[in-house]
């Protein structure tokens, strides 16, 4: 079976059970400001899990791309990946435990579907604590369905509870389904839930019945939901009898490429502290994740998602260095090329963004090379200062300013110098907190503010976007925007600084349009129709079939959630205040209306 067949089977199965297929959306969450990335299929559904009506109904199914960096240290083992695809089915206040468990069992074991040997399966259920009772009910249903008592394990919250994805939100006890790979137990204690890889978790069924509030309380949700997640890479691997996800068609061509680069080479690299096997997997995993994050429009930076992207590319580049793959071989670009080839049918956007993805990877590798030399000097000074210990602050300084992942510092320090990892983690967490706050603020700014001044600036942003395309070319694409009642800020793709003449021309075009006193027309249509109409803007598929398209005569036509003015004469006069660089390859304009 290949990955597309597995995905199709899952979707067909749940369609037969009355589910509606929902789109595979961006890795950058739109509805959940508490996280930087879509880490599970449930993210795009948060408002609906909390009670909002979903246009697709109460039963939904999807295949969702995800990024999860909480397990980044595990990457390199058999089963952990930072990028993966997750199949999921949801009940929004409809069916609950019984149907969920029975259908999962049917899909896994029925000869018509995956035909997995039931004896290979075991499950874990929630053991209960002060927040919620022991899940005897789930265990009973499993037993009735076909999993014998001795293969049902009760585990604590750390293992059998899901969510909330951020600090607050929908969550609940879960039951996890494991496949026995046939490997030896790592110890006599080894059982499902042990991280050695013998039992591979393939599907998690969450009984989402609580909302964790900001005070730490677990409040019963009025609407009880089901949220399930099946890992595509893992399930494919076990169906094909592989030992890990790197042997599947979703990784194999990448691993072959890296192997090819190493063949016939001296074995010196085997002395590095990361094992070569692990290093290869890290390169494959991280560059795949980076390719998809780039596809979704993020560029490497020191903030938010851009920071994670940078870290992934640098960790991969570092591993390539440790394996002595030369910089000139452009390993990240070569890997990305293969990733694009593997996924191009499921994600045609990869082809549209190919040039951008490869360019950004190359640039980030170059930057890291520069930092590496400077950072090594600083590292030398730190060691001269104290030959026994590297403080958390110093380690973080190397990480933050010179782009040294902590593993690199660790490698350089070898065994005789201690690194204050705790101090490093503290600094790191502090940084993440700031970065999350930034993300939360951005989210609010976009959705909550419908004041008159802000509304005008939203419309002005459309005029600006189109004027930039006229002056600079059609490569100009929106990369972000932030609007408050005082000013608009617009980020867009363009390599060079704008000249004063160009800025003047842009301003002039916008003001000419305003003087034409044109009405702003809103129409709802499908994404396809919007594309046909030539609309620009962020073409992420939204829930439901319809998107809003705002047009200003034939000057501007853009997909957008609004709000906008009725007639552009309301805008007054448009003035650019500042032009500068955002992240690399992205320019930023701040402008006002007077
Ligand atoms: N949210 C759960 C998970 O990510 C099930 O989808 O495991």
């Amino acid at each position: 079976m290949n990955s597309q067949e597995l995905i199709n089977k899952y979707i067909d199965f749940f369609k037969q059970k009355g589910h509606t297929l929902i789109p595979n959306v961006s890795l950058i969450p739109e509805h959940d400001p508490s996280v930087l990335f879509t880490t599970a299929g449930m993210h795009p559904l948060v408002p609906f899990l909390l009670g909002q009506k979903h246009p697709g109904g109460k039963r939904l199914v999807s295949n969702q791309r995800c990024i999860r960096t909480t397990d980044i240290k595990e990457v390199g083992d058999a089963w952990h990946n930072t990028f993966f695809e997750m199949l999921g089915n949801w009940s929004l206040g409809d069916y609950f435990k019984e149907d969920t468990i029975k259908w999962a069992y049917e899909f896994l074991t029925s000869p018509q579907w995956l035909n997995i040997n039931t004896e290979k399966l075991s499950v874990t259920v929630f053991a209960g604590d002060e927040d919620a009772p022991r899940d005897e009910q789930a265990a009973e249903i499993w037993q009735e369905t076909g999993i014998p008592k001795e293969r049902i394990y009760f585990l604590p919250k750390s293992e059998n509870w899901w969510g909330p994805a951020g600090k607050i939100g929908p969550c609940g006890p879960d039951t996890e389904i494991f496949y026995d790979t046939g490997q030896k137990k790592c110890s006599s204690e080894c059982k499902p839930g042990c991280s050695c890889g013998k039992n591979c978790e393939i599907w998690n069924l969450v009984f989402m019945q609580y909302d964790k509030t900001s005070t730490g309380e677990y409040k019963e949700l009025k609407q009880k939901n089901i949220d399930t997640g099946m890992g595509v890479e893992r399930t494919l691997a076990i169906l094909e009898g592989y030992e890990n996800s790197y042997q599947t068609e979703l990784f194999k061509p990448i691993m072959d490429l890296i192997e090819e680069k190493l063949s016939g080479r001296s074995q010196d690299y085997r002395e590095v502290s990361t094992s070569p096997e692990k290093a290869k997997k890290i390169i494959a995993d991280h560059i795949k994740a980076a390719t998809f994050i780039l596809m979704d429009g993020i560029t490497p930076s020191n903030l938010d998602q851009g920071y994670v992207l940078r870290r992934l590319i640098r960790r991969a580049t570092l591993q390539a260095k440790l394996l002595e793959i030369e910089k000139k071989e452009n390993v990240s670009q070569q890997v990305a090329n293969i990733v694009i080839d593997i996924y191009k049918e499921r994600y045609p956007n990869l082809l549209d963004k190919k040039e951008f993805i490869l360019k950004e990877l190359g640039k980030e590798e170059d930057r890291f090379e520069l930092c590496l030399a400077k950072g090594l000097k600083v590292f030398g000074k730190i060691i001269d200062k104290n030959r026994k210990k590297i403080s958390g602050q110093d380690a973080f300084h190397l990480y933050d300013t010179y782009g040294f992942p902590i593993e690199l510092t660790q490698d350089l320090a070898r065994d005789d110098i201690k690194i204050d990892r705790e101090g490093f983690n503290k600094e790191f967490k502090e940084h993440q907190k700031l970065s999350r706050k930034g993300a939360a603020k951005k989210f609010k700014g976009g959705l909550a503010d419908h004041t008159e001044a802000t509304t005008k600036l939203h419309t002005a942003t459309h005029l600006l976007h189109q004027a930039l395309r006229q002056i600079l070319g059609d490569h100009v694409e929106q990369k972000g925007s932030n609007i408050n009642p005082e000013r608009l800020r617009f980020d867009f793709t363009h390599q060079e600084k704008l000249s004063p003449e160009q800025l003047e021309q842009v301003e002039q075009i916008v003001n000419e349009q305003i003087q034409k006193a044109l009405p702003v027309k809103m129409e709802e249509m499908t994404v396809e129709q919007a594309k046909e109409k030539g609309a620009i803007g962020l073409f992420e598929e939204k829930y439901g079939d319809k998107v809003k398209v705002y047009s200003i005569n034939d000057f501007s036509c853009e997909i957008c959630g609004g709000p906008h003015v009725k007639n552009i004469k309301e805008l007054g006069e448009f003035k650019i205040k500042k032009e500068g660089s955002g992240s690399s390859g992205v320019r930023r304009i701040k402008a006002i209306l007077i």
Side-chain angles (χ1 to χ4, degrees):
M1 192 180 297
N2 66 32
S3 57
Q4 193 56 52
E5 283 162 356
L6 169 62
I7 292 168
N8 292 347
K9 275 199 172 206
Y10 188 96
I11 292 169
D12 286 350
F13 178 86
F14 282 101
K15 273 189 175 168
Q16 286 185 16
K17 308 276 184 209
H19 291 64
T20 306
L21 176 65
I22 56 171
N24 184 340
V25 297
S26 174
L27 288 169
I28 316 308
E30 193 187 352
H31 291 302
D32 189 349
S34 60
V35 284
L36 292 177
F37 288 103
T38 300
T39 66
M42 53 77 71
H43 275 294
L45 293 173
V46 169
F48 308 101
L49 294 163
L50 289 171
Q52 199 175 307
K53 221 166 155 240
H54 194 289
K58 290 180 172 178
R59 296 182 180 194
L60 308 172
V61 58
S62 79
N63 176 43
Q64 175 60 47
R65 57 189 183 275
C66 301
I67 289 282
R68 217 175 260 191
T69 51
T70 38
D71 295 330
I72 196 165
K73 287 207 195 83
E74 318 299 333
V75 172
D77 70 0
W79 302 118
H80 285 92
N81 296 127
T82 46
F83 171 87
F84 57 93
E85 291 176 282
M86 185 186 271
L87 290 159
N89 56 291
W90 286 273
S91 154
L92 303 174
D94 190 26
Y95 60 88
F96 204 47
K97 287 188 189 178
E98 183 152 353
D99 286 328
T100 309
I101 292 178
K102 292 199 161 151
W103 289 340
Y105 187 81
E106 181 188 345
F107 181 66
L108 291 172
T109 61
S110 154
Q112 193 194 339
W113 300 102
L114 297 192
N115 199 18
I116 293 175
N117 177 356
T118 170
E119 278 168 24
K120 292 280 207 172
L121 299 176
S122 54
V123 301
T124 58
V125 291
F126 181 53
D129 65 9
E130 64 281 2
D131 297 321
R134 185 176 171 88
D135 203 350
E136 297 289 0
Q137 195 196 354
E140 270 163 34
I141 302 171
W142 275 121
Q143 254 181 279
E144 280 165 26
T145 311
I147 302 286
K149 210 171 171 180
E150 55 283 8
R151 294 210 305 273
I152 300 174
Y153 299 83
F154 284 88
L155 297 180
K157 195 179 237 140
S158 56
E159 306 297 325
N160 276 93
W161 187 274
W162 206 86
K167 286 209 164 62
I168 55 170
C171 57
D174 67 34
T175 177
E176 299 182 2
I177 306 171
F178 287 82
Y179 179 84
D180 183 354
T181 60
Q183 276 172 43
K184 274 206 188 113
K185 285 186 172 188
C186 65
S187 74
S188 56
E189 307 289 291
C190 183
K191 61 181 181 193
C194 167
S195 62
C196 75
K198 174 181 171 50
N199 289 291
C200 171
E201 184 202 333
I202 50 172
W203 202 350
N204 183 13
L205 318 177
V206 184
F207 309 122
M208 203 167 255
Q209 55 193 103
Y210 299 98
D211 181 20
K212 188 173 178 189
T213 66
S214 52
T215 54
E217 250 183 293
Y218 290 88
K219 278 191 19 205
E220 281 275 339
L221 277 171
K222 272 202 209 92
Q223 169 187 300
K224 302 220 186 329
N225 308 300
I226 289 299
D227 154 34
T228 90
M230 169 187 268
V232 169
E233 296 75 1
R234 293 178 178 189
T235 308
L236 190 62
I238 63 131
L239 286 172
E240 293 298 301
Y242 295 142
E243 285 164 17
N244 57 56
S245 44
Y246 296 89
Q247 293 171 341
T248 66
E249 48 146 28
L250 299 175
F251 271 111
K252 174 93 174 33
I254 309 175
M255 300 309 279
D256 287 349
L257 170 91
I258 303 172
E259 199 53 57
E260 198 183 297
K261 300 219 158 296
L262 300 179
S263 67
R265 297 246 323 272
S266 90
Q267 301 291 297
D268 293 353
Y269 64 81
R270 291 188 192 276
E271 284 171 23
V272 301
S273 52
T274 315
S275 84
E277 279 321 306
K278 187 166 174 173
K280 284 185 236 168
K281 288 177 181 158
I282 292 175
I283 298 171
D285 171 274
H286 285 15
I287 297 300
K288 187 197 277 193
T291 302
F292 275 94
I293 297 174
L294 285 161
M295 176 188 88
D296 279 338
I298 300 294
T299 42
S301 73
N302 279 334
L303 259 190
D304 298 346
Q305 294 94 345
Y307 189 62
V308 176
L309 173 61
R310 168 159 285 167
R311 186 173 164 207
L312 287 164
I313 301 173
R314 291 187 178 197
R315 270 195 102 207
T317 309
L318 168 65
Q319 296 305 323
K321 240 177 226 332
L322 296 178
L323 291 176
E324 295 177 1
I325 298 175
E326 295 280 326
K327 164 79 183 66
K328 62 177 188 297
E329 292 187 67
N330 286 328
V331 69
S332 68
Q333 290 176 332
Q334 289 190 32
V335 169
N337 254 319
I338 298 183
V339 173
I340 294 170
D341 203 47
I342 296 174
Y343 288 94
K344 62 180 184 289
E345 264 114 45
R346 210 148 50 240
Y347 299 94
N349 228 356
L350 284 171
L351 287 177
D352 299 341
K353 295 282 176 74
K354 184 169 173 168
E355 204 184 315
F356 167 76
I357 293 169
L358 299 183
K359 202 175 69 207
E360 287 299 326
L361 283 169
K363 276 200 308 202
E364 184 58 18
E365 268 198 55
D366 287 347
R367 275 191 222 108
F368 185 46
E369 285 281 309
L370 289 176
C371 293
L372 193 58
K374 282 191 214 149
L376 281 172
K377 274 197 197 133
V378 174
F379 177 83
K381 283 191 190 145
I382 293 170
I383 297 299
D384 285 346
K385 210 167 58 186
N386 184 348
R387 294 188 171 273
K388 292 222 160 51
K389 200 175 156 195
I390 298 178
S391 71
Q393 246 174 354
D394 280 342
F396 188 75
H397 179 60
L398 282 169
Y399 184 46
D400 197 34
T401 312
Y402 300 100
F404 275 36
I406 185 80
E407 292 82 0
L408 173 59
T409 308
Q410 189 87 68
D411 280 330
L412 293 169
R414 305 247 162 197
D415 289 342
D416 40 344
I417 301 167
K418 283 236 158 343
I419 298 183
D420 177 6
R421 290 290 283 249
E422 227 167 82
F424 173 84
N425 288 342
K426 221 175 104 198
E427 300 276 337
F428 189 77
K429 281 213 180 97
E430 200 53 39
H431 183 96
Q432 270 187 327
K433 220 164 54 194
L434 289 177
S435 145
R436 279 212 192 94
K437 268 192 197 143
K441 230 161 79 193
K442 266 185 233 152
F443 185 79
K444 270 213 176 96
L447 294 182
D449 184 359
H450 281 204
T451 58
E452 195 186 319
T454 307
T455 305
K456 286 182 185 170
L457 284 163
H458 269 284
T459 309
T461 307
H462 283 209
L463 296 175
L464 169 64
H465 190 176
Q466 186 53 34
L468 285 166
R469 286 166 72 93
Q470 284 191 2
I471 298 299
L472 305 174
D474 283 349
H475 63 275
V476 168
E477 261 184 39
Q478 173 169 349
K479 276 287 154 238
S481 101
N482 175 288
I483 295 173
N484 65 34
E486 277 82 47
R487 56 107 185 102
L488 69 84
R489 195 179 78 200
F490 185 67
D491 291 353
F492 57 99
T493 41
H494 184 63
Q495 291 299 335
E496 285 122 46
K497 188 168 175 52
L498 273 67
S499 68
E501 293 75 40
Q502 285 172 325
L503 289 172
E504 216 181 288
Q505 283 171 318
V506 170
E507 229 175 55
Q508 205 183 341
I509 292 179
V510 174
N511 283 319
E512 271 169 20
Q513 292 301 322
I514 294 176
Q515 273 157 28
K516 287 187 190 165
L518 301 166
V520 180
K521 201 167 97 193
M522 192 278 278
E523 289 167 285
E524 290 200 69
M525 58 184 83
T526 63
V527 172
E528 289 315 314
Q529 287 166 333
K531 278 186 189 165
E532 262 167 41
K533 203 173 152 64
I536 55 172
L538 301 175
F539 265 105
E540 196 52 66
E541 287 184 69
K542 309 272 180 203
Y543 295 107
D545 292 321
K546 300 282 166 95
V547 290
K548 286 182 179 166
V549 174
Y550 285 88
S551 339
I552 304 167
N553 246 18
D554 53 4
F555 178 73
S556 154
C557 176
E558 193 161 330
I559 264 194
C560 178
H564 288 284
V565 299
K566 292 224 156 40
N567 188 302
I568 56 175
K569 69 179 177 221
E570 295 168 44
L571 303 188
E573 192 187 335
F574 174 78
K575 190 137 198 53
I576 294 178
K577 292 300 278 184
K578 205 172 162 195
E579 190 271 347
S581 64
S583 52
S584 93
V586 174
R587 307 297 303 175
R588 169 170 286 182
I589 281 183
K590 287 190 183 169
I592 56 168
L593 289 168
I594 43 181

